[in-house]
Structures are given as structure tokens and as C-alpha cells.
Amino acid sequence: MNQLGSTGRLKLRTSALRAYTMLLALIVIWLFFQWATISETHPYGLFLGAINFSKLLQQTAVTGVLAVGMLMVIVSGNIDLSVGAVVGLAGGIAAMTQDWGLLPCLTAAIVVGLLIGALQGALVAYINIPAFIVTLGGLQAWRGLILKFTQGATVPVELPVFRSLGRDFIDPRIGFGLAAVGIATIIWTNLRRTRARRRHGLQAMSVAAVAIRIIIPSIAVVAFVFLMNKAGGIPIPVIFLLAVALAGAFLTTNTTFGRYLYAIGGNPDAARLSGINLKRYVLAAFCVMGALAGLASILHTARVGSASPDAGTLMELDAIASCVIGGTSLMGGRGTVFGAVLGALILASLDNGMSLLNVENWAQYVVKGGVLVAAVGFDMFGRRKG
């Protein structure tokens, strides 16, 4: 996210500056809601309390998982408007197949999402139907199928382990263990990068800069685990979100697959002339999106405790808005997993904070819409300045 100048000092790239700006906006939102929720019973505020913060992260998990998949589709120059309906259909199938056992019903949800992603991706990549049309049709079709399968009824989740995936917490001791692994990874990554630059004769960061890059994230990791353990432990959906985000970040930044997606979205003609198989990688992006929609359906159904025909309504818009707020270009070729998850956290924070303040529903929609437009406007302004 940053690079070294000729003096060895950190020089921020435009994408990094945008990410830090969104991070600052998130902190401002958190501080505002913390101040606004001060009362006699909560003299220091309610919003950043351990229990509410834990609920906030659980709210973020489903949208965050969808946003990671949506990022890959948008970066490739496409869009998926059907993910909300896929969440409803896959979650409904998981709930209706509980008699098969835990593993088969969870697998069924992910396979359904994967097959839908493959079908839609094939229509976009090989039949050249615009993604907007294919997925808009999918939104209607998958919603219709779940209505047919459930006959409009709500299907409760009977398996305790299934429900626990959306509601329970991991043991606090495991949380500390994960924190230790996370800090060790941060240290190893920074030291490895510094040694690699020196080995190749490049300007390496100063010791102070490396220390800052290690200490600040490590403090954040420890504070996060302490806060979550005060509320009973890290929520299981948050573990899934972290795993998906880390895997997505690795895929998009360290693999040929990720680099080709950015190339395809940035300039498809140049990508084709470079020998990239556009159809194969667009199909793969939709398959990843479908599989993650299946995973999101499991987390959502487990958290709610039932599958209903209208589950997942408008989730596609939340996923797209998360990507855009996080700096993803709807034209393709630009965006990060970090930004997409950050965007999901901003949206969830607005939802959670306004609910605590008893803001009416209509006003919540207006505020969220305003934030989305402001984020895009800020991004366009930044591009003109750049």
C-alpha cells in the first residue's frame, strides 16, 4: 500500500491514501456514535462497548463475505446483482436438507452458490450477455425458486451446530492463540520484505519504519482480542470473515489469477492481446462469488435461526456499496479486499449506530445513500486532483 522514496522514507500511493482516509472516516463515525450514546447507564458511551461491538462485527460478517466476492467480479469489469437472491436460495436449501446431516446440508448451500456462479459466469463470458442482464434475471429466477421450494414458509434451523455458526463464540484462549499467530505473521512478513529488498539491492525501510509497521497492527490485534473476550470471545462469523478476507487479499495480490482480474478490468483489449484468457478468468470470478454467496447464506441462516423466502433481500446492494465506499471502481481494474471489508464495516456501523439512537428507518436509508454518493464523489475528486 506504500512505497519507499529515494530517502528511504515511506511514500504513500494514491490507493493507500484513499484507504487511510476511509479508515479515518470510520474512526470518526465510531467516535460520534460513542459520544451520542452516552447516558446515565452508559457514562462512557454504548457503541464501542464490548457487547455492542461484538454484535456490530457479527452484522458485518455476511456483508463482508459477499463484498470480497463482489470485489473480484467488479474488478474484472462486471457486476452481480443476484447475490441477495442466491443467499436466500442457498440458505433455504441448507435449511431444507438438514435431515441429510450437518456437513451435507452446509455443502449443499456452497455447491448451489457455486453452480449458480458458474452458470451466470458462463453466460457472461462465453455467450457475451451483459453481466447486468444475466444477474438481474438471476435475481428474479433464484428468488422465484426459493418461493417454489418453501411454498412461502419459513424453515427453522434445527441442528444446534448449524445455529452456532452464526451466533456462538470461540473460546477466549483460542482467541489469544490466534492473536499470537497474527502478531508472529506481522513480524515475519515485515522482516521478510525488508530482507528481500536488501537482497535485491533496493532501498529498505528504516528500523523505525519497520518497528511502526509491526507495533501498531500488533497493538490493534491485542486490543481487538481483549475487547472480544470481554463479550465472551471472538464470534464465529467474524472468524469466517477474517479467513475469507485474508484468502481474498492473497488471491488478488499474490496470484496470477488476481493480477489477471485487474488487467481484464483495467483494459480488456490489452489483456486479450497479452494472451490472457478473458473468458476463463471472468468465469472463475463468478464462481468465487457464487461460492462465497453460499458461505454467506450459511452464516445468515444460522444467525437468524431460520430460512425465509425473502432472506438476503437488498444484500446485493450492500455488497456493491461496500466495495464502492472502500474505493473500488465500478468501471473495473481498481479496488482492494481491505477497502471492500472496510466499506462493509462502515455500512454496518451506520446501521448499528443509528439503530441505537432510534433513528427512523427512512432516515437511515437517506443517510446510507448520502454516504455512498459522498464516497463516490470524493473518489472522483481525488482522481481529478491526481
Side-chain angles (χ1 to χ4, degrees):
M1 297 180 72
N2 46 39
Q3 59 187 12
L4 292 172
S6 57
T7 60
R9 294 178 180 175
L10 286 175
K11 182 180 178 182
L12 291 178
R13 293 176 180 168
T14 304
S15 59
L17 180 61
R18 187 181 297 113
Y20 290 138
T21 304
M22 297 310 301
L23 193 59
L24 179 63
L26 177 65
I27 293 172
V28 171
I29 291 171
W30 282 0
L31 292 178
F32 169 76
F33 283 126
Q34 180 71 1
W35 167 78
T37 53
I38 290 176
S39 64
E40 291 184 0
T41 53
H42 299 92
Y44 301 106
L46 173 61
F47 183 77
L48 292 178
I51 294 177
N52 188 66
F53 196 71
S54 176
K55 291 178 180 176
L56 168 64
L57 293 182
Q58 291 180 58
Q59 284 179 252
T60 308
V62 173
T63 306
V65 169
L66 290 175
V68 173
M70 187 65 74
L71 168 84
M72 297 186 195
V73 172
I74 293 178
V75 159
S76 71
N78 293 285
I79 199 162
D80 191 341
L81 299 177
S82 68
V83 292
V86 176
V87 167
L89 176 60
I93 289 177
M96 288 186 292
T97 56
Q98 293 176 86
D99 293 341
W100 298 357
L102 178 66
L103 189 59
C105 75
L106 299 183
T107 304
I110 294 178
V111 170
V112 166
L114 180 62
L115 291 176
I116 290 174
L119 173 62
Q120 295 183 153
L123 291 174
V124 172
Y126 291 92
I127 312 297
N128 292 325
I129 303 175
F132 179 85
I133 300 300
V134 170
T135 56
L136 185 61
L139 184 154
Q140 300 290 334
W142 314 134
R143 187 68 69 192
L145 282 181
I146 189 58
L147 272 171
K148 167 65 177 176
F149 292 155
T150 61
Q151 296 296 311
T154 297
V155 183
V157 176
E158 304 288 353
L159 298 175
V161 179
F162 191 168
R163 284 199 300 270
S164 72
L165 294 177
R167 302 177 177 180
D168 286 350
F169 309 87
I170 64 170
D171 190 293
R173 291 170 295 184
I174 299 177
F176 283 123
L178 292 176
V181 172
I183 292 172
T185 304
I186 292 170
I187 295 172
W188 178 77
T189 303
N190 280 281
L191 294 181
R192 180 172 174 268
R193 182 185 294 120
T194 302
R195 282 200 299 267
R197 291 188 68 87
R198 286 175 177 159
R199 189 167 57 248
H200 291 92
L202 300 174
Q203 180 71 45
M205 285 185 292
S206 65
V207 175
V210 174
I212 290 173
R213 289 174 62 96
I214 291 175
I215 292 173
I216 293 179
S218 299
I219 291 175
V221 169
V222 172
F224 170 76
V225 172
F226 266 106
L227 188 62
M228 290 298 95
N229 284 351
K230 284 182 66 177
I234 302 174
I236 292 176
V238 177
I239 297 293
F240 277 102
L241 173 59
L242 292 174
V244 168
L246 290 173
F250 179 80
L251 268 179
T252 53
T253 58
N254 293 289
T255 67
T256 304
F257 169 74
R259 295 182 188 282
Y260 281 1
L261 287 184
Y262 284 99
I264 293 169
N267 191 331
D269 292 332
R272 185 182 299 106
L273 292 173
S274 300
I276 298 175
N277 188 330
L278 275 64
K279 295 178 180 179
R280 181 192 303 169
Y281 287 97
V282 169
L283 173 63
F286 274 94
C287 287
V288 172
M289 176 74 263
L292 290 181
L295 174 61
S297 75
I298 293 171
L299 299 179
H300 178 72
T301 305
R303 181 166 179 257
V304 176
S306 62
S308 61
D310 61 349
T313 302
L314 297 181
M315 279 188 183
E316 62 277 356
L317 298 184
D318 283 343
I320 295 170
S322 298
C323 293
V324 173
I325 289 174
T328 303
S329 169
L330 287 175
M331 303 302 291
R334 185 167 58 81
T336 63
V337 169
F338 174 77
V341 174
L342 190 63
L345 189 54
I346 288 176
L347 280 181
S349 298
L350 291 172
D351 271 336
N352 185 286
M354 288 190 288
S355 296
L356 289 178
L357 296 177
N358 294 319
V359 176
E360 294 185 45
N361 286 338
W362 67 266
Q364 294 191 27
Y365 287 121
V366 170
V367 171
K368 288 168 63 178
V371 168
L372 177 61
V373 174
V376 175
F378 175 78
D379 182 52
M380 298 302 291
F381 177 76
R383 281 204 224 178
R384 284 196 293 271
K385 285 291 184 183

